[in-house]
Amino acid sequence: MLGMSCMRFASRRAASTLSGRRSESPYRQRLEALRKQLASEGTEIDDFVAEKNPRSMFESVDVVGGRTDAHSEPEKPSWLKVRPPGDHESQKEYTRLRETVRKKKLATVCEEARCPNIGECWGGGTATIMIMGDTCTRGCRFCNIKTSKAPEELDPNEPRHAAEAVTSWGLKYVVITSVDRDDYEDGGSAHIAKTVMEMKKRQSGLLIEVLAPDFRGSLKDVEKVAGCGLDVYAHNLETVERLQGAVRDYRAGYKQSLTT
């Protein structure tokens, strides 16, 4: 009996020691530190965990506008807030890019999507130009860009203004993205192609990437853009096939994106 008691005591002691070691592991310490940081900012780890039903993540979303009501949104944690550029030179570069964008009446995905890295990118002289206006005809749930069934008409001077702005920045590589324009028969493909050609005309050595919309699956419009002289043609699937219906506008689709 004494031997059995000693064995039980030793077993409990060993288990207690192992438990203590686990609680002191660097992983657990990091987890506890993260919990404390999130708690200080009014959030919890569970706030970042997706629900089993993907649609439940978007119950509070305005389907037409694609965004939640501003008054119902929780405050962003400090590490997700937009920060101004740090040093003096970066601030000057940031200001120069912003003034050029305003002067040429251009839109950038950096601003429209409220990207928290805008200070870092613009401060380093990098920007992604968003053409065809600042209002999209689609209402994808993940996107912060404005939505309307009837946006303003395309500005015929925008391709020239965009080319003038980009060449004045002295960039070697530029990314052109755009909103969806389902209100135009060609989805704006001619407008995008003209913008690329205007940039190449002013700076032939400029490398241009176009992050294109799906043009509702029209390969004719895809070819129009792909053959306009760009260097990289890209298109986003945005999410896995299972979540397409919950995340993207009903006019978008996984298979449609794969074909374009």
Side-chain angles (χ1 to χ4, degrees):
M1 292 293 292
L2 180 60
M4 291 294 292
S5 298
C6 290
M7 288 176 66
R8 291 194 188 99
F9 176 76
S11 177
R12 285 196 297 270
R13 184 176 181 182
S16 176
T17 303
L18 287 173
S19 176
R21 287 176 182 172
R22 280 198 298 268
S23 65
E24 295 172 359
S25 70
Y27 302 106
R28 184 170 293 276
Q29 291 174 3
R30 286 165 56 188
L31 178 60
E32 291 305 318
L34 177 59
R35 288 185 188 278
K36 290 179 181 178
Q37 178 185 344
L38 293 176
S40 68
E41 296 171 348
T43 54
E44 299 177 353
I45 289 180
D46 290 343
D47 295 335
F48 298 90
V49 179
E51 299 286 343
K52 291 182 179 179
N53 178 5
R55 293 187 182 276
S56 65
M57 293 187 288
F58 309 103
E59 287 178 352
S60 61
V61 172
D62 172 12
V63 176
V64 177
R67 291 174 294 280
T68 55
D69 184 273
H71 299 292
S72 66
E73 291 182 355
E75 185 178 354
K76 295 179 182 177
S78 60
W79 43 267
L80 193 57
K81 293 181 179 178
V82 176
R83 293 180 177 83
D87 58 81
H88 180 65
E89 288 301 317
S90 295
Q91 291 176 4
K92 285 175 58 178
E93 189 65 18
Y94 175 90
T95 302
R96 184 174 74 89
L97 262 67
R98 185 179 61 183
E99 289 177 351
T100 305
V101 167
R102 299 288 185 276
K103 183 178 179 180
K104 299 296 182 181
K105 297 180 179 179
L106 301 175
T108 66
V109 71
C110 317
E111 292 179 299
E112 300 303 326
R114 298 183 185 178
C115 179
N117 300 318
I118 187 171
E120 179 182 348
C121 292
W122 283 27
T126 301
T128 298
I129 295 294
M130 186 175 74
I131 61 174
M132 301 205 292
D134 63 356
T135 305
C136 188
T137 53
R138 299 188 185 181
C140 298
R141 277 74 162 173
F142 65 87
C143 188
N144 193 66
I145 292 173
K146 291 182 289 187
T147 303
S148 173
K149 291 182 179 179
E152 293 183 4
E153 292 186 5
L154 294 177
D155 179 2
N157 295 315
E158 185 181 49
R160 177 171 55 84
H161 289 163
E164 290 172 351
V166 168
T167 52
S168 71
W169 291 334
L171 303 177
K172 295 180 180 179
Y173 193 103
V174 65
V175 179
I176 302 172
T177 187
S178 72
V179 294
D180 281 283
R181 293 303 300 256
D182 297 300
D183 53 328
Y184 280 80
E185 186 176 351
D186 71 344
S189 59
H191 192 87
I192 296 174
K194 185 177 180 181
T195 302
V196 172
M197 290 187 284
E198 285 284 350
M199 290 183 181
K200 286 288 188 178
K201 183 170 66 175
R202 285 170 170 75
Q203 188 177 338
S204 59
L206 177 67
L207 297 177
I208 301 175
E209 174 182 339
V210 172
L211 184 56
D214 61 18
F215 301 116
R216 299 188 299 276
S218 170
L219 294 182
K220 177 183 177 181
D221 293 316
V222 171
E223 291 171 1
K224 188 184 300 181
V225 175
C228 70
L230 52 73
D231 299 282
V232 178
Y233 185 97
H235 174 68
N236 281 344
L237 287 169
E238 306 300 355
T239 187
V240 296
E241 186 172 12
R242 178 174 58 85
L243 297 177
Q244 291 282 313
V247 174
R248 301 178 76 187
D249 185 274
Y250 70 92
R251 286 162 289 188
Y254 189 78
K255 293 180 180 178
Q256 179 171 278
S257 285
L258 283 179
T259 62
T260 56

